[in-house]
Amino acid sequence: MDRKSGRFLLIGIPYLWLGLLFLVPFFIVLKISLSDIAVAIPPYTPTFDLGAGWSGFIQFLSGLDFENYIWLIEDDLYINSYLSSLKIAFFSTLFALLVGYPIAYAMAKAPSEWRPTLLMLIILPFWTSFLIRVYAWIGILKPEGFLNQFLMMLGIIDEPLQIINTDTAVYIGIVYSYLPFMVLPLYSALEKLDGALLEAAEDLGCTAIQAFWKVTFPLSMPGIVAGCFLVFIPAIGEFVIPDLLGGSDTIMIGKTLWADFFSNRDWPLASAVAVVLLLLLIVPIVLFQRQQERAQEAEK
Amino acid sequence: MNISPNKKPSARFAPWEDPAQKPLVRFGNVTKRFGSFTAIDNISLDIYEREFFALLGPSGCGKTTMMRMLAGFEKPSEGTISLGGEDIADIPPYKRPVNMMFQSYALFPHMTVEANIAFGLKQDKWPKQQISERVEEMLSLVQLTKFAKRKPHQLSGGQRQRVALARSLAKKPKLLLLDEPLGALDKKLREKTQFELMDIQEKLGMTFVIVTHDQEEAMTVASRIAVMDDGKLIQVATPEVIYEYPNCRYVADFIGDVNLVEGRISSKTEEMVKLAWAEGQGDIDISNKNGCAAGENACLAIRPEKVHVTREEPQDVDNKIRGVIHDIAYIGNLSTYYVKLGNGQIFRAQESNRRRLANREFTWDDQVWLSWRNTAGVLLQK
Ligand SMILES: Nc1ncnc2c1ncn2[C@@H]1O[C@H](COP(=O)(O)OP(=O)(O)OP(=O)(O)O)[C@@H](O)[C@H]1O
Ligand SMILES: [Mg+2]
């Protein structure tokens, strides 16, 4: 094997990976989303039959249409699900930023011998299954759960708060689960910050708080943007958290999709929901990529 | 400066000689420790208004630490620092009428050159118009007008240094601290900027404290120089005094070139000291300015340019020694002759090259005489 083909092979591996594990499944989903529901196995029609030859292929194509997508637009449920997911993802991201920034800041200011330990603590929850951690929150938030018992013991409340099965619980769950994705990029941006810059700002007349807003905050912007995207993107499509912690009136697109797929067995419609979700997510993902490139450029 | 033609410039600037003058900055027995390490060791020092004060010393001797204490980033472990008579220990950096140019520049990477320079002015809520005028002025001073819109990472090291200088100058602080402000500049630009700094300092009546590794720079700009070593002040004096009358071997050796001749004082009169320095050689005469006694060990420090080299035995000189030319260092305008004495010691003598290289007087292994006057050197004990 000469060097050139070796290089092609090397570059080819990630593309092959992408093709097999992303593009092929995507096209299958896309195809199903254009099909019609049927009482059959698999539960849609038409199915692709290689044996039928050219005329069979033409017939197959003529069986595809955009009915499901039109349905998505016409039925309020779907638009509301998308909007509600965007809203929940947006506010969860905001809360994660508000909680994560002080944590990352404190970590970056901690004595350097402490930092690896603190970093470890942030990553530690990943050692337990995501599902189990979300279940644990049920135990904490339910009416007779730890939180309510604790608050009643302190005498702050007289009767249990209804937190579980509300949007509040969903926010708590998302912020908790995705916090490390917020803290890590923030920490790496804040840790790089040269302390002399803050001294220079103070020397030129800034109080510590002004120096934070004029120097620390703008310089941590790449970390803020990265952290927000890393929380926002997965939060939109989140299913487990709203399903376990949310109530029946918590609608998120992940839940709607699940219901269509498993309860209604409407694979074509569920596929259409998934394709639209993917298209919605591509916008922030592309923005995120561009921002990352710019940040790298600036660092050079 | 406005000097009327029939008036001589006012008397020499030397407030430190005038006991009635109040110092602008006073270090009173200041000690600074980092953990168990003593960075500044019991320093007392007065700096007067309108001084251009230089801190000189080897790396790690505590120059930056002195500056940081003045700017407010470090607190003295012991002792007091006062500014204009007021103890500044509890005044935070942003309230001090002091600006500092950082050794590492500390430019804000997310701001343009312009915005960096304007930062302190905006903070002080200057009117927009005045800010942009001042920034203009600063940019042209450091010759960076063309680079106003660039970010620091798009500049060369020397350009960044100039931005840092401009930023610290912009607010016209009462006291400006410059930590190696010109180290990254080439010789020409450095000299030009030195003179501009002196000019600004004089025009605006500011007080500058400058840290430098470059003794020539310190000699050029400073009204007084403090030579530091290992957290202590070794000598504080005008450049002339530091050069001509160093108070110890360390200072003599640190500033410029020097020949040190170790010996013992063999006799002492009212105006003359004799130093016995080698077997079979005549004693060296030194005019007596120091209070050392006969029998003590001491050392003669004499600058190479004060020593003459001649082929013939010189007459009418105070001191002369024979030697052999061991090496010649030609540096254009000057040549330094390394002359080996009878006892093996190498003695340096410097002559200016008034003639072309080809008709040079001496060459390697020539027998020569070294001579100097008895006022040319100083006797050191420490
Ligand atoms: N924050 C600190 N913690 C511990 N030691 C320090 C600290 N800051 C300075 N030092 C020590 O104090 C001594 C003086 O440091 P300083 O920065 O004042 O030196 P300097 O004279 O400015 O040297 P240079 O010419 O290399 O800049 C050094 O030995 C340094 O290691
Ligand atoms: Mg220093």
Side-chain angles (χ1 to χ4, degrees):
Chain A
M1 192 167 53
D2 61 54
R3 281 191 51 183
K4 205 162 178 187
S5 61
R7 202 153 60 200
F8 272 120
L9 195 73
L10 204 63
I11 299 172
I13 288 172
Y15 281 103
L16 192 73
W17 182 269
L18 254 178
L20 276 179
L21 295 176
F22 176 74
L23 271 186
V24 170
F26 174 72
F27 279 114
I28 292 174
V29 171
L30 184 67
K31 188 253 141 195
I32 297 174
S33 77
L34 300 174
S35 312
D36 291 325
I37 187 166
V39 187
I41 298 175
Y44 53 84
T45 173
T47 47
F48 192 50
D49 183 8
L50 266 184
W54 185 246
S55 62
F57 182 66
I58 297 292
Q59 203 187 352
F60 165 77
L61 278 187
S62 66
L64 299 178
D65 53 50
F66 285 95
E67 236 170 44
N68 295 310
Y69 290 92
I70 293 164
W71 181 244
L72 283 189
I73 296 168
E74 283 174 349
D75 190 337
D76 278 353
L77 171 70
Y78 296 98
I79 293 183
N80 286 341
S81 299
Y82 284 120
L83 288 180
S84 158
S85 292
L86 281 174
K87 187 190 101 188
I88 290 177
F90 176 83
F91 284 106
S92 306
T93 307
L94 193 67
F95 295 142
L97 179 64
L98 292 179
V99 176
Y101 204 102
I103 295 178
Y105 189 83
M107 281 169 66
K109 293 270 151 158
S112 53
E113 66 268 24
W114 273 97
R115 288 183 208 157
T117 316
L118 293 172
L119 211 56
M120 191 66 211
L121 288 176
I122 291 291
I123 301 170
L124 204 63
F126 288 124
W127 289 14
T128 318
S129 145
F130 170 68
L131 206 57
I132 291 175
R133 285 184 285 132
V134 177
Y135 265 112
W137 274 104
I138 299 179
I140 296 172
L141 297 177
K142 66 185 175 185
E144 64 280 19
F146 294 121
L147 182 65
N148 276 313
Q149 280 181 7
F150 182 68
L151 290 178
M152 290 205 293
M153 190 184 81
L154 291 182
I156 296 174
I157 52 171
D158 295 329
E159 47 194 70
L161 297 171
Q162 179 59 44
I163 303 177
I164 197 76
N165 301 334
T166 64
D167 282 1
T168 313
V170 176
Y171 284 123
I172 292 175
I174 295 181
V175 170
Y176 162 78
S177 303
Y178 293 106
L179 197 60
F181 297 110
M182 182 60 89
V183 170
L184 294 178
L186 280 175
Y187 168 76
S188 94
L190 287 169
E191 197 224 23
K192 272 190 295 203
L193 194 87
D194 179 4
L197 295 179
L198 295 176
E199 287 184 347
E202 283 187 54
D203 188 66
L204 292 166
C206 287
T207 61
I209 293 171
Q210 287 171 325
F212 172 83
W213 286 112
K214 295 197 167 175
V215 178
T216 310
F217 187 74
L219 285 176
S220 63
M221 212 30 134
I224 295 176
V225 175
C228 285
F229 279 123
L230 288 180
V231 174
F232 184 76
I233 294 169
I236 286 188
E238 184 54 52
F239 162 70
V240 172
I241 296 170
D243 192 55
L244 292 181
L245 302 180
S248 51
D249 54 346
T250 307
I251 42 173
M252 278 189 83
I253 198 65
K255 264 176 86 178
T256 311
L257 190 150
W258 192 89
D260 274 336
F261 199 89
F262 292 100
S263 310
N264 306 345
R265 269 184 77 79
D266 190 345
W267 286 24
L269 188 59
S271 300
V273 171
V275 170
V276 171
L277 181 61
L278 189 82
L279 293 179
L280 275 182
L281 286 180
I282 278 179
V283 178
I285 288 174
V286 168
L287 284 178
F288 175 61
Q289 293 286 358
R290 284 194 35 190
Q291 191 272 338
Q292 288 288 319
E293 267 163 36
R294 263 206 311 255
Q296 265 170 12
E297 195 79 352
E299 254 170 50
K300 268 177 212 160
Chain B
M1 273 197 306
N2 45 22
I3 301 166
S4 48
N6 50 9
K7 215 171 86 184
K8 280 247 157 69
S10 57
R12 206 164 59 89
F13 174 75
W16 51 89
E17 286 171 356
D18 179 358
Q21 285 278 344
K22 293 260 180 294
L24 176 68
V25 175
R26 165 162 278 172
F27 283 81
N29 300 96
V30 171
T31 295
K32 175 71 195 175
R33 287 187 211 91
F34 294 107
S36 60
F37 176 78
T38 306
I40 298 293
D41 193 358
N42 194 18
I43 282 186
S44 292
L45 172 68
D46 287 348
I47 300 173
Y48 293 86
E49 205 157 330
R50 290 169 172 266
E51 263 207 88
F52 203 134
F53 194 91
L55 289 173
L56 205 57
S59 184
C61 70
K63 305 180 295 291
T64 299
T65 307
M66 293 281 280
M67 299 284 232
R68 290 175 58 79
M69 289 195 291
L70 273 177
F73 302 126
E74 307 283 359
K75 275 196 181 171
S77 312
E78 279 166 35
T80 55
I81 302 176
S82 51
L83 185 71
E86 187 190 358
D87 187 350
I88 52 173
D90 295 321
I91 303 182
Y94 65 93
K95 281 195 188 151
R96 297 189 183 194
V98 177
N99 281 142
M100 174 155 167
M101 176 187 163
F102 289 74
Q103 194 170 9
S104 62
Y105 316 152
L107 299 178
F108 303 123
H110 57 301
M111 294 181 194
T112 60
V113 167
E114 230 172 18
N116 263 285
I117 298 174
F119 190 92
L121 307 176
K122 276 194 193 143
Q123 202 55 42
D124 282 2
K125 306 231 161 31
W126 282 34
K128 271 220 167 61
Q129 182 61 28
Q130 272 181 345
I131 291 184
S132 66
E133 277 168 21
R134 186 92 182 115
V135 168
E136 249 343 275
E137 190 188 334
M138 287 295 117
L139 282 172
S140 70
L141 173 72
V142 295
Q143 303 182 16
L144 287 175
T145 310
K146 275 191 293 186
F147 300 93
K149 300 277 185 258
R150 296 230 191 147
K151 293 270 181 72
H153 69 94
Q154 298 163 316
L155 299 176
S156 75
Q159 288 166 342
R160 281 179 217 175
Q161 193 166 39
R162 282 182 276 158
V163 178
L165 180 61
R167 187 178 68 179
S168 63
L169 272 170
K171 281 176 81 167
K172 296 185 193 159
K174 208 165 160 185
L175 176 63
L176 182 63
L177 310 172
L178 302 166
D179 201 345
E180 306 223 5
L182 313 174
L185 307 186
D186 60 81
K187 196 166 154 54
K188 275 260 146 57
L189 187 58
R190 182 156 75 215
E191 280 171 1
K192 185 173 177 303
T193 318
Q194 279 169 8
F195 284 107
E196 249 148 26
L197 279 180
M198 291 162 74
D199 207 39
I200 294 171
Q201 189 257 352
E202 206 158 339
K203 247 193 248 157
L204 302 181
M206 291 156 77
T207 308
F208 282 17
V209 179
I210 185 174
V211 163
T212 171
H213 271 129
D214 178 354
Q215 35 154 311
E216 214 172 291
E217 183 169 289
M219 298 293 234
T220 311
V221 299
S223 59
R224 280 192 303 160
I225 296 175
V227 181
M228 292 181 68
D229 185 32
D230 209 6
K232 293 189 203 53
L233 285 180
I234 308 296
Q235 187 172 15
V236 182
T238 59
E240 302 80 35
V241 172
I242 293 262
Y243 191 76
E244 301 288 347
Y245 303 103
N247 66 359
C248 64
R249 278 168 222 186
Y250 179 80
V251 174
D253 206 23
F254 191 76
I255 309 280
D257 243 352
V258 74
N259 294 298
L260 294 173
V261 184
E262 303 284 344
R264 202 173 43 76
I265 295 167
S266 57
S267 74
K268 182 185 174 192
T269 64
E270 208 42 30
E271 64 271 6
M272 203 63 68
V273 174
K274 283 190 182 298
L275 186 76
W277 63 282
E279 290 283 321
Q281 300 270 8
D283 290 352
I284 297 173
D285 287 348
I286 304 160
S287 66
N288 180 15
K289 285 227 170 118
N290 303 52
C292 43
E296 283 179 334
N297 286 329
C299 159
L300 166 72
I302 184 162
R303 303 280 178 197
E305 73 273 12
K306 302 230 163 60
V307 180
H308 290 293
V309 191
T310 46
R311 195 178 294 281
E312 311 301 329
E313 179 167 357
Q315 305 302 318
D316 290 337
V317 292
D318 300 328
N319 295 291
K320 53 191 171 188
I321 313 180
R322 274 175 75 87
V324 176
I325 293 193
H326 179 70
D327 209 348
I328 303 175
Y330 173 74
I331 50 165
N333 53 345
L334 299 171
S335 286
T336 304
Y337 299 94
Y338 292 78
V339 178
K340 198 170 199 163
L341 306 183
N343 65 349
Q345 188 182 354
I346 302 283
F347 211 88
R348 277 164 297 182
Q350 209 168 46
E351 295 280 353
S352 61
N353 292 324
R354 291 194 201 84
R355 297 187 213 168
R356 288 289 183 103
L357 203 56
N359 350 329
R360 213 157 50 176
E361 255 180 292
F362 313 106
T363 179
W364 281 262
D365 295 330
D366 277 0
Q367 288 275 346
V368 290
W369 284 90
L370 300 175
S371 58
W372 65 91
R373 307 196 61 82
N374 56 27
T375 49
V378 285
L379 196 62
L380 303 173
Q381 286 197 287
K382 276 190 284 182

